[in-house]
Amino acid sequence: MLERRNGFHDDLVEHLVRTTPLGRGEAARVVLDVLAYFDETAEEFVRRRHRELQAGGSRNPAIFERIQAELPYRAVAPPELTLRQLRRIVYG
């Protein structure tokens, strides 16, 4: 799916090649990585961040508060989620 989308972003790849030390292949991978990052749903973001913060040694109360604070700054901010809703996303 992302390969098909890359054709729509050739101008961005070319811009990165001109303005950074990245080669065309590296620039294309960066664009694909960024697109994948912004394709992440709110639920996927919550689960990923929970795993990352938990792996870093944080405890659940701090993790859920931090995720709640980070969510409004996503590219397309989801509706505000309560701590309970965040827990339900992770644990079902």
Side-chain angles (χ1 to χ4, degrees), residues 73-92:
Y73 298 100
R74 299 287 299 157
V76 178
E80 187 173 329
L81 299 173
T82 66
L83 296 176
R84 181 173 184 221
Q85 288 171 314
L86 295 173
R87 286 186 195 94
R88 295 193 107 206
I89 288 170
V90 172
Y91 297 113

Side-chain angles (χ1 to χ4, degrees), residues 12-83:
L12 178 55
V13 171
E14 292 304 321
H15 174 75
L16 290 172
V17 169
R18 282 192 314 273
T19 60
T20 70
L22 296 174
R24 182 162 176 67
E26 294 168 314
R29 279 192 302 277
V30 167
V31 169
L32 292 176
D33 284 347
V34 170
L35 291 174
Y37 176 83
F38 286 114
D39 275 348
E40 187 175 52
T41 66
E43 289 81 7
E44 291 167 338
F45 171 77
V46 169
R47 289 183 189 104
R48 178 179 59 79
R49 285 300 286 149
H50 182 267
R51 282 190 309 272
E52 292 170 353
L53 294 168
Q54 197 172 48
S58 295
R59 309 279 294 169
N60 274 343
I63 288 173
F64 290 118
E65 286 183 16
R66 181 160 175 186
I67 292 171
Q68 187 179 39
E70 290 176 355
L71 275 170
Y73 298 100
R74 299 287 299 157
V76 178
E80 187 173 329
L81 299 173
T82 66
L83 296 176

